[in-house]
Amino acid sequence: KGEVLVGPDVAKRLVGQCQAAGTSGKQLGESVCERARRLYLGLDGTDPAEADAALLRLLSLVDALAQLPADLARVAATQASAAGQEEFSSLRSCAAQRAAAEPMLRRLKIGQAAADIDLLGGDQAAPAAAAEVDLIGADAPATAGGSPSGASAA
């Protein structure tokens, strides 16, 4: 199948080929992400274990690109890691690939831990404030006349 051992030399060669062909970093990043997406969704009919191994090789390529000084390489790595977060993060659930993928995922800042993500977009004081909200009015003072409006006769 012509598998390539990904490393800095391969990334440099790829960047050189892209520069010679006039391919931008964004285009390279989108191409890598599209390939990752096809693997992740199983659109190529490959065995899931082979797809995970191929995703790991793509992640290795993105990691190698991120470590190069060339602007094209950094743009490609940023584009691929941002657009392919879900696909690359899926390697965390693959026992065979997790150990190799985890350091690269951290370096590329892909898929923060759930504890680090604030899904509600609030601040840390919000949970305490939410605990004080009385949604059913159980703590409201009862009125003497039994009026549900809470108005008192003065």
Side-chain angles (χ1 to χ4, degrees), residues 14 18 24 27 34 46 50 61 63 90 105 122 125 144 154:
L14 179 60
C18 287
S24 71
Q27 290 171 320
E34 179 60 28
T46 59
E50 290 178 23
L61 175 64
D63 188 42
S90 72
L105 292 169

Side-chain angles (χ1 to χ4, degrees), residues 4 6 25 32-33 35 40 51 58 61 81 93 95 105 127-128 131 133 147 153:
V4 175
V6 178
V32 170
C33 182
R35 182 66 184 132
Y40 176 71
L58 283 175
L61 175 64
S81 58
S93 63
L105 292 169
V133 175
S147 169

